[in-house]
Amino acid sequence: MILLYAVPELRLIGVEDKGVPNQERVVLQAAENLNLGRYALLVARKFMSVLATQQPTLINDLLFWFGEQQAVAGQRVIVFTGPRRPDPTLRSYGASDLILNWGHASTLFGLPDDIPVLIRLGSGVVGVQGPDEAPTRKIDPLSLSELLKPQGS
C-alpha cells in the first residue's frame, strides 16, 4: 500500500461532467501562491479489498504534469481531460481561471470507480541512455522544465 500525504496548498475539488467528451474536467484551487511544476494528476480505480473497503489502485500511463507555471492563492485550475478546448457555453469559474488540457482521446473518469489523485513531486533521478554512458552535461538542481530542455537551447 502507498501512503499519500495531504496537499493542502492545492485543493482537489473534484471531477465535473464525468464521461462527457470535451467537457470532463478536474477542478482544483490554489490555497496559496505556488509553482504548479511541483504537482501532477494521476488516475486511480477503487477496488473492493478483502476487508470490504475500497482501495484505490493507480492506473498505468495516466499522468498529467501541470508544467512550470504559477497559480495564485484562490485561483481555480481547470484541467480538461480531452484533446481540445471546451465548449464556450460551459460554466466559467472566473476570469482568472487557469485552463489546461490533458489531451486524451477519450474521457478518463467515465466509470464511477475512477478517481483523480493529486500528488506533490518530491524527488527523483534523471537517467542516462545506457548503463555505461556518463551524463553528457552536469546536472545541477534545476526545475524539471529546465532539465528537460534539449541541449544547446
Side-chain angles (χ1 to χ4, degrees):
M1 174 177 15
I2 298 172
L3 296 176
L4 296 176
Y5 296 97
V7 183
E9 66 274 18
L10 185 58
R11 188 172 140 232
L12 177 58
I13 295 172
V15 179
E16 295 183 353
D17 291 323
K18 283 184 168 195
V20 180
N22 297 318
Q23 294 183 21
E24 180 181 80
R25 60 205 173 273
V26 180
V27 180
L28 305 103
Q29 185 172 29
E32 60 189 58
N33 295 345
L34 49 87
N35 178 349
L36 292 173
R38 296 184 58 218
Y39 304 89
L41 282 173
L42 300 113
V43 179
R45 182 164 292 147
K46 295 183 286 185
F47 289 102
M48 292 302 283
S49 73
V50 178
L51 301 174
T53 59
Q54 293 190 337
Q55 299 294 322
T57 301
L58 295 177
I59 298 174
N60 291 340
D61 298 332
L62 293 177
L63 180 137
F64 175 79
W65 179 57
F66 289 90
E68 295 279 345
Q69 44 195 323
Q70 300 297 314
V72 296
Q75 185 176 32
R76 297 254 181 163
V77 179
I78 316 297
V79 180
F80 283 86
T81 59
R84 57 181 174 248
R85 291 275 179 204
D87 184 320
T89 62
L90 286 176
R91 178 173 107 194
S92 174
Y93 299 95
S96 66
D97 292 347
L98 179 56
I99 307 292
L100 304 169
N101 288 342
W102 196 317
H104 259 269
S106 62
T107 60
L108 300 177
F109 301 102
L111 297 175
D113 290 335
D114 291 348
I115 55 172
V117 176
L118 173 66
I119 61 169
R120 181 187 319 111
L121 304 173
S123 61
V125 175
V126 177
V128 294
Q129 293 298 321
D132 298 329
E133 296 180 32
T136 57
R137 59 183 164 165
K138 181 180 176 190
I139 300 176
D140 293 319
L142 299 172
S143 69
L144 187 56
S145 61
E146 286 293 317
L147 191 58
L148 296 176
K149 278 185 184 176
Q151 291 184 25
S153 57

